[in-house]
Amino acid sequence: MKRAKSDRSWRSLVIAAPYLWLLLFFLVPFLIVLKISFAQSAIALPPYTPVFDFSAGWRGIENFFENLSVGSYRLLGSDPLYLLSYVKSLEIAAFSTLMLLAVGYPIAYGIARAPRRLQAVLVVLVVLPFWTSFLIRIYAWMNILQRDGPLNQLLMTLHIVRQPPVWLASDTAIYIGIVYSYLPFMVLPLYAVLEKLDQSLIEAAADLGCPRWKTFWLVTLPLSSPGLLAGVLLCFIPIVGEFVIPDLLGGSRTPMIGQTIWMEFFGNKDWPAASAVAVVLVCLLVTPIVIFQHQAMRKAERD
Amino acid sequence: MQKFTSKHAETSCGDERSGDTAARPLLRIEGLSKRFGSVAAVDRLSLDIYPGEFFALLGPSGCGKTTLLRLIAGFERPTAGRILLDGVDIASVPPYRRPVNMMFQSYALFPHLSVEANVAFGLKQEGLPRREIAGRVADILAMVKLGDYAARKPHQLSGGQRQRVALARSLVKRPRVLLLDEPLAALDKKLRDATRFELMELQRQIKLTFIIVTHDQSEAMMVADRIGVMDQGRLMQVAAPAEIYQRPNSRWVADFVGDINFFQGRVGDDHMTVEGTAAGRLRVAAPIEAEARTPVWVAVRPERMLLSRQEPASGLDNSLGGTIVETGYLGELSIYRIRVADGSAVKAAVVNAGRGGEPVPAQGDHVWLSFPPEAATVLTR
Amino acid sequence: MRRVTWFNLCAIVLGIAFLYLPIVILVIYSFNASRLVAVWGGWSTQWYAQLAGDTAIVGAALMSLRVAFVSASLATLLGTLAALALVRFGRFRGRLLFASMIYAPLVMPEVITGLSMLLLFVAISVDRGFWTVVIAHTTMAMCFVAVVVQARLADFDMSLEEAAMDLGAPPLRTFLTVTLPLILPAIVAAWMLAFALSLDDLVIASFTTGPGATTLPIRIYSEIRLGVKPEINAVCTIFIAVVGIAVLVASLLTKLTGARGTSARIEP
């Protein structure tokens, strides 16, 4: 049938366009990163060997494999800078995710319990700063946290501190910047589940003699766990690889892993090392996603 | 013409049609199957629908009636079998080329289009001249009394109005067969009752062939010329409403359509009695076409049961005694559950208006139940 | 019954204040007459005046807008196709890989996306500039578009499409006359999201850009690395004002179209 045939060609076009694009500009680049992470640093352009030499044919490919090296990965293990960098990234991501939960949950809960008409406005208010530039929001905090900036001026006027404390170039500033920037990503998924939460469940718990704090612990919190998990993943993973916030607000003692990649690449021009750091980071980040997926699948099977 | 032989469901259709329709079927379904994985939603089903008929597919949810409708509309492709419209197999024709239209349970009105544009949608696809489209849309909207609502969007209409727009939209194309998937399910009871009459009236006026899918037996009985009772992808019985109710062909159909009492026993040697039931020996009106001593069931509707305080004079009627365990007052009727000798419960329905001055039977009273042989249906499966 | 308790009210008020106070302070400081950002020297618009003459900043802003426009449009096209493929085509060969490639960029650290893009462009020896940034932004944004459009398609009432086909519309016409108009709001929202993501991005653009293709965030970043500058306060304020107006107009437009839909309900 002619009609069915033209339908099929439409179909394959719809799949092929985005598929090929992603293969070429997402998967292939990542494979190149993987390949270069096994190469050796060199002073050349591009600054690594071996370069894949197609013109040499089979010999070129053999040559390529002979010269592969795990040197970059060995470097990762031997230089404590990398290990410390990973640990610091995970630490900051973990603590700031917890802070985001502590700050974001009450906000999400408050919005979900607000009158219907107000809810839409409040959601827009939470999302709106996200539309202004990420960089600008971090920059705003650079203004506030300066040595003689508005925060210190306020603290001095209120006689809370006598000497202006140093905020910038510290982990505290990084935490402030992260919580500020990622707050919508925590609030929105939490709001989405809390808003759907059947109010009569809370009333049923109260009716059955459950005090309010216990109702929250036994009913509200377990039922909001999908949003909780989504919010945690949505924040934790990008925070681990964060570059801009620690670069502008943080100190220079221990860089986060995003900064390390940036420095290896732009500063030291050690592309194989930068690639190896990136590969390890991806492996680190993929693990929680795979675990999450696996559990979601098992849950789907049980239901 | 009671059915005592255990005919296979797939073959027992289309042959007991009542009414004045022409002998040539408009829609013929032959050995149609639709499997989803290992589940057969429609299982080797055959059925004939005649021109101008109002046919109802009745069955519990999940029986495959909606799948059958979607197969006819073309949204599902059959795993096996044929669908013949005017003798032409349309099983592989895509839905947009079938002269068959469907009214969806959800109405599926296009929310971004006005009432008028919704109704005109199908005609536009045919490429008709604008003037003709406008005329036909105006006519059909007047017919469903929505002429003043042409410019509204679906969300500005009430449930009943939306239902009529959906009906108009599927009717305006003048389909050979109109398929209605639970067309009244979304309406509240009062409106549903009124709409049933409108639907019957409409069908009589335009003389189209309607196939309606419903799980509501009173709806099917009321609107349809013939009913096909479906279970597990098969047609259990196809017949006129009265036939289905009075002479069901199986315990399943008898039980699904209305309320019924069963007495299990064995065919007597004279083929006119059933022996060994909870009520002893039961007489039936017509000879039983089954071997003597084969197990059968005598089915009696509750409203055919006569309730009395004294033992009826031994005549031709069957009778049994018991104690009332529950009573229920339904207004026009009262329902009684009576515990009989073997411990089982028998239901009886009594019309309240027919009662004389005698006192109403109450819980704990000992009563007699009787029914004439004509009230008994003998079922072999 | 929804009750607003003190706790809820405090959470909302403090939360909103936390989100907006830094931006408000930034805006106020952009009108500070003093060169020393922290010292208040009275109201002034001198930094805005100075900006108008700063061709580098203005050029970077225009470059950012061009990149954002082209990449958002490309990303919307590709992302919508991807969403259709994911939701409507059931199982096809390579679907798992396809779905993974859609979701992975959503959580991939920008540093890695940027790095891998750059390495690709180096490997195939492409000169970096406007188009390499556009390609990189399209790749990142199309995944967000796919997720937004997919969500709308997933709860799309299939019986509407079936009704259109039942009334005689072939699949393509069904898509154009019924499906597309109904998912259009999601597509528009996705385009806006893609535009904002592109305008916002510093890291990926830094990796993939070349001479003559400096975007606004790259420009701002190089200015503020070493500290706060009053001119940048002014740039940021303009940016915030533009975004604010755009969101206001967008919400007003949806309100208006929504109101047109409901006004007829009041009529007898």
Side-chain angles (χ1 to χ4, degrees):
Chain A
M1 270 173 52
K2 202 168 152 236
R3 169 74 54 175
K5 208 169 164 190
S6 86
D7 272 2
R8 254 202 304 280
S9 57
W10 267 106
R11 230 180 101 108
S12 43
L13 193 72
V14 168
I15 301 180
Y19 209 134
L20 289 178
W21 183 283
L22 284 172
L23 277 180
L24 186 58
F25 295 117
F26 181 74
L27 193 65
V28 169
F30 191 72
L31 293 177
I32 293 176
V33 171
L34 196 64
K35 184 200 114 180
I36 291 177
S37 73
F38 287 103
Q40 285 160 352
S41 177
I43 301 170
L45 227 160
Y48 58 87
T49 61
V51 179
F52 217 78
D53 188 0
F54 292 104
S55 55
W58 181 244
R59 184 68 215 129
I61 296 171
E62 257 177 59
N63 202 21
F64 168 78
F65 279 106
E66 276 164 21
N67 285 315
L68 280 186
S69 95
V70 290
S72 301
Y73 290 94
R74 209 169 287 145
L75 182 71
L76 250 60
S78 60
D79 191 335
L81 165 81
Y82 299 106
L83 189 66
L84 285 174
S85 192
Y86 280 117
V87 170
K88 170 146 182 188
S89 294
L90 291 175
E91 180 194 311
I92 287 195
F95 281 117
S96 50
T97 305
L98 282 179
M99 289 182 212
L100 278 161
L101 262 179
V103 177
Y105 204 103
I107 298 177
Y109 190 84
I111 297 177
R113 290 282 153 272
R116 274 266 167 234
R117 292 185 76 87
L118 205 61
Q119 279 188 29
V121 178
L122 289 171
V123 169
V124 170
L125 277 178
V126 169
V127 181
L128 200 58
F130 164 82
W131 290 93
T132 71
S133 165
F134 186 67
L135 199 57
I136 290 177
R137 280 177 292 151
I138 300 307
Y139 177 68
W141 278 102
M142 286 175 73
N143 263 315
I144 295 170
L145 298 177
Q146 287 174 86
R147 209 187 107 83
D148 40 9
L151 179 63
N152 278 348
Q153 283 177 15
L154 181 74
L155 292 177
M156 301 275 280
T157 342
L158 296 176
H159 298 288
I160 296 172
V161 292
R162 217 165 293 152
Q163 284 295 311
V166 178
W167 297 102
L168 281 173
S170 72
D171 284 0
T172 319
I174 297 183
Y175 282 121
I176 292 175
I178 288 177
V179 171
Y180 182 68
S181 308
Y182 284 85
L183 197 55
F185 295 100
M186 186 58 94
V187 171
L188 285 183
L190 281 173
Y191 164 75
V193 287
L194 286 173
E195 184 256 339
K196 283 201 204 91
L197 192 76
D198 188 353
Q199 190 65 26
S200 62
L201 292 176
I202 313 272
E203 286 166 358
D207 182 64
L208 296 168
C210 191
R212 247 208 260 175
W213 63 271
K214 223 172 171 182
T215 303
F216 176 79
W217 189 250
L218 293 174
V219 181
T220 313
L221 201 60
L223 284 174
S224 61
S225 63
L228 209 103
L229 203 61
V232 166
L233 280 181
L234 229 50
C235 291
F236 181 84
I237 293 173
I239 292 173
V240 173
E242 188 53 60
F243 167 76
V244 180
I245 297 174
D247 190 60
L248 290 177
L249 298 178
S252 52
R253 262 159 299 153
T254 319
M256 280 179 73
I257 204 67
Q259 290 169 281
T260 307
I261 295 176
W262 183 284
M263 274 172 352
E264 288 296 346
F265 195 86
F266 286 116
N268 302 344
K269 298 253 187 278
D270 189 346
W271 291 15
S275 301
V277 175
V279 169
V280 172
L281 177 57
V282 168
C283 295
L284 222 62
L285 294 182
V286 160
T287 320
I289 298 178
V290 170
I291 292 172
F292 171 71
Q293 280 278 352
H294 184 70
Q295 282 193 335
M297 236 139 81
R298 268 187 27 200
K299 189 172 182 298
E301 270 169 31
R302 256 184 290 133
D303 290 344
Chain B
M1 53 160 280
Q2 220 153 330
K3 304 193 99 54
F4 297 114
T5 50
S6 89
K7 260 192 176 180
H8 209 268
E10 101 180 60
T11 59
S12 70
C13 338
D15 51 345
E16 29 192 331
R17 182 173 61 81
S18 68
D20 45 20
T21 45
R24 211 175 116 80
L26 173 67
L27 184 73
R28 162 161 269 178
I29 291 163
E30 287 179 358
L32 193 67
S33 289
K34 177 64 187 177
R35 250 175 272 283
F36 296 107
S38 58
V39 183
V42 172
D43 192 7
R44 285 165 289 159
L45 184 143
S46 297
L47 174 66
D48 283 348
I49 307 276
Y50 295 85
E53 202 177 12
F54 201 140
F55 190 91
L57 281 166
L58 174 67
S61 59
C63 72
K65 55 191 194 298
T66 295
T67 306
L68 178 57
L69 205 69
R70 290 171 60 83
L71 281 162
I72 300 171
F75 300 129
E76 309 285 352
R77 292 205 156 214
T79 315
R82 302 203 295 166
I83 303 169
L84 301 165
L85 187 70
D86 286 326
V88 181
D89 189 1
I90 57 165
S92 61
V93 175
Y96 47 91
R97 300 249 196 99
R98 293 191 188 195
V100 166
N101 285 122
M102 172 136 151
M103 186 189 148
F104 290 79
Q105 181 173 7
S106 64
Y107 308 149
L109 297 178
F110 305 127
H112 59 305
L113 300 181
S114 67
V115 166
E116 196 171 15
N118 260 286
V119 176
F121 189 93
L123 298 176
K124 278 195 187 136
Q125 307 308 320
E126 292 176 17
L128 294 178
R130 192 169 299 191
R131 182 118 41 99
E132 189 185 342
I133 293 180
R136 275 170 72 173
V137 169
D139 288 350
I140 199 92
L141 283 180
M143 193 164 166
V144 295
K145 302 182 200 88
L146 282 173
D148 298 338
Y149 296 82
R152 293 222 184 161
K153 291 278 179 71
H155 69 87
Q156 298 164 332
L157 301 177
S158 71
Q161 290 167 336
R162 264 180 247 170
Q163 192 260 359
R164 299 214 296 276
V165 176
L167 189 63
R169 189 179 70 176
S170 47
L171 273 178
V172 77
K173 294 211 22 153
R174 297 178 189 152
R176 301 300 313 273
V177 180
L178 180 68
L179 308 170
L180 303 107
D181 187 4
E182 304 267 9
L184 309 175
L187 305 178
D188 57 48
K189 194 181 176 315
K190 264 256 150 55
L191 193 56
R192 192 160 58 221
D193 292 343
T195 313
R196 278 179 194 165
F197 283 112
E198 282 177 23
L199 208 58
M200 291 163 70
E201 178 63 32
L202 190 74
Q203 197 258 348
R204 240 191 311 275
Q205 261 178 43
I206 57 180
K207 299 189 178 63
L208 259 172
T209 309
F210 278 33
I211 302 179
I212 185 175
V213 153
T214 179
H215 66 278
D216 180 342
Q217 46 161 305
S218 59
E219 185 169 301
M221 304 271 262
M222 187 166 160
V223 297
D225 299 323
R226 276 196 310 153
I227 296 176
V229 187
M230 269 186 90
D231 186 40
Q232 297 181 354
R234 288 162 176 255
L235 277 169
M236 304 302 285
Q237 188 172 9
V238 178
E243 172 100 6
I244 296 252
Y245 188 76
Q246 284 160 16
R247 284 191 288 277
N249 65 356
S250 62
R251 277 187 302 148
W252 193 88
V253 171
D255 200 29
F256 183 71
V257 181
D259 228 346
I260 203 147
N261 296 302
F262 292 117
F263 300 97
Q264 193 183 0
R266 289 173 184 281
V267 178
D269 293 327
D270 58 358
H271 291 264
M272 290 296 286
T273 53
V274 175
E275 287 168 349
T277 72
R281 222 170 76 128
L282 295 176
R283 275 184 281 272
V284 296
I288 305 168
E289 293 173 20
E291 294 279 321
R293 328 244 34 102
T294 39
V296 289
W297 291 267
V298 174
V300 187
R301 297 282 179 197
E303 70 272 15
R304 302 301 296 269
M305 291 282 188
L306 296 171
L307 204 62
S308 56
R309 292 185 179 277
Q310 281 85 40
E311 184 169 5
S314 60
L316 280 171
D317 282 5
N318 303 301
S319 66
L320 70 164
T323 313
I324 296 179
V325 286
E326 264 165 58
T327 68
Y329 178 73
L330 298 181
E332 75 268 39
L333 290 176
S334 285
I335 304 285
Y336 298 92
R337 267 162 59 85
I338 293 127
R339 178 89 54 216
V340 295
D342 74 339
S344 64
V346 174
K347 269 174 277 183
V350 177
V351 178
N352 288 329
R355 255 193 247 282
E358 59 188 285
V360 177
Q363 197 177 337
D365 288 359
H366 191 272
V367 290
W368 290 91
L369 290 161
S370 61
F371 56 93
E374 311 86 69
T377 306
V378 179
L379 301 170
T380 52
R381 60 189 173 104
Chain C
M1 241 327 260
R2 283 172 190 280
R3 264 182 330 194
V4 181
T5 62
W6 277 110
F7 177 78
N8 293 348
L9 197 67
C10 283
I12 294 173
V13 171
L14 287 178
I16 301 284
F18 176 59
L19 284 173
Y20 284 88
L21 219 52
I23 296 175
V24 172
I25 290 172
L26 176 73
V27 171
I28 292 173
Y29 272 80
S30 76
F31 293 101
N32 187 356
S34 164
R35 166 100 239 167
L36 295 165
V37 176
V39 182
W40 186 252
W43 294 94
S44 156
T45 53
Q46 58 167 314
W47 309 117
Y48 292 89
Q50 234 170 65
L51 265 189
D54 190 338
T55 48
I57 287 269
V58 174
L62 288 177
M63 173 59 68
S64 265
L65 289 175
R66 273 170 57 208
V67 168
F69 184 83
V70 177
S71 65
S73 306
L74 267 173
T76 304
L77 180 68
L78 289 166
T80 305
L81 292 180
L84 277 172
L86 279 180
V87 177
R88 288 302 167 78
F89 290 179
R91 291 170 183 279
F92 53 86
R93 218 180 301 163
R95 189 183 193 279
L96 188 66
L97 177 66
F98 188 54
S100 319
M101 287 196 301
I102 297 278
Y103 294 121
L106 300 181
V107 290
M108 185 68 88
E110 289 171 321
V111 178
I112 296 179
T113 312
L115 174 72
S116 62
M117 279 285 182
L118 170 58
L119 293 180
L120 171 78
F121 296 136
V122 169
I124 58 176
S125 38
V126 170
D127 286 336
R128 274 167 284 146
F130 176 78
W131 284 105
T132 47
V133 182
V134 165
I135 287 174
H137 281 180
T138 303
T139 310
M140 166 194 64
M142 70 177 275
C143 302
F144 286 88
V145 172
V147 169
V148 171
V149 177
Q150 186 195 21
R152 179 72 191 87
L153 274 175
D155 59 32
F156 188 86
D157 182 4
M158 283 301 285
S159 67
L160 291 176
E161 283 189 11
E162 286 178 350
M165 285 206 249
D166 185 66
L167 294 167
L172 187 61
R173 208 180 313 154
T174 296
F175 180 78
L176 293 176
T177 54
V178 174
T179 318
L180 197 59
L182 288 173
I183 63 170
L184 200 61
I187 293 180
V188 171
W191 186 89
M192 285 173 67
L193 179 65
F195 190 86
L197 283 170
S198 169
L199 215 54
D200 199 20
D201 170 68
L202 164 69
V203 177
I204 295 175
S206 295
F207 276 99
T208 51
T209 190
T214 305
T215 62
L216 189 59
I218 296 178
R219 184 81 211 153
I220 295 178
Y221 176 71
S222 67
E223 294 278 336
I224 63 176
R225 275 212 78 168
L226 304 171
V228 177
K229 285 189 180 160
E231 298 94 330
I232 299 299
N233 283 347
V235 173
C236 295
T237 303
I238 293 174
F239 194 98
I240 291 164
V242 169
V243 169
I245 290 168
V247 171
L248 206 71
V249 167
S251 62
L252 272 179
L253 275 178
T254 47
K255 263 259 175 67
L256 273 180
T257 46
R260 214 186 311 136
T262 46
S263 63
R265 204 187 313 198
I266 311 160
E267 293 166 13

